[in-house]
Amino acid sequence: MIDHIGIGAADYAAARRFYDAALATLGIVPVMEITAEESGGYQGVGYGRGDKPFFWVSSGGARGAGIHVAFTAPDRATVDAFYAAAMAHGGRDNGAPGLRPHYHPDYYGAFVFDLDGVNVEAVCHAPA
């Protein structure tokens, strides 16, 4: 089991706005922030539910080419909301919301590239 994952951003402030908006639709919010002053240079925000961050975005430059991160959505409407929020905050389309029956009959997902090219997905596995 993975405890957490982190990605770097070329523009930390823009990435923060993108992920704040897109992940909020999934109920995933900033739960911890580390400032450059605290760490001696590293700046990052940890997203999660409750008080446990499991997805980190940090300063220090993009390191995300080739990375794919998928977040579970409780229903298809939430996948749609994720896609809309991500696109409104600078995301690039990599697959509009819809069924992907080649994975399984109820696989409903949406894919966007974040500002640094990370392939971010929201997926619901439940039937409509």
Side-chain angles (χ1 to χ4, degrees), residues 43-95:
Q43 182 177 12
V45 58
Y47 294 89
R49 293 188 180 104
D51 61 357
K52 170 68 171 86
F54 58 83
F55 181 72
W56 285 85
V57 175
S58 68
S59 60
R63 301 182 302 272
I67 292 176
H68 172 67
V69 180
F71 294 95
T72 303
D75 53 49
R76 294 176 182 194
T78 303
V79 171
D80 297 343
F82 163 85
Y83 180 82
M87 294 298 289
H89 286 83
R92 291 180 294 122
D93 174 61
N94 190 31

Side-chain angles (χ1 to χ4, degrees), residues 4-119:
H4 65 275
I5 188 169
I7 62 169
D11 181 336
Y12 176 74
R16 175 79 192 258
R17 289 188 298 273
F18 173 87
Y19 281 106
D20 281 359
L23 296 182
T25 66
L26 303 169
I28 301 169
V29 297
V31 297
M32 184 182 292
E33 186 166 1
I34 307 297
T35 66
E37 295 76 26
E38 291 172 317
S39 70
Y42 170 88
Q43 182 177 12
V45 58
Y47 294 89
R49 293 188 180 104
D51 61 357
K52 170 68 171 86
F54 58 83
F55 181 72
W56 285 85
V57 175
S58 68
S59 60
R63 301 182 302 272
I67 292 176
H68 172 67
V69 180
F71 294 95
T72 303
D75 53 49
R76 294 176 182 194
T78 303
V79 171
D80 297 343
F82 163 85
Y83 180 82
M87 294 298 289
H89 286 83
R92 291 180 294 122
D93 174 61
N94 190 31
L99 285 170
R100 304 306 196 279
H102 51 283
Y103 296 127
H104 68 72
D106 295 316
Y107 194 108
Y108 187 89
F111 302 81
V112 297
F113 288 117
D114 78 357
L115 308 177
D116 292 307
V118 174
N119 182 14

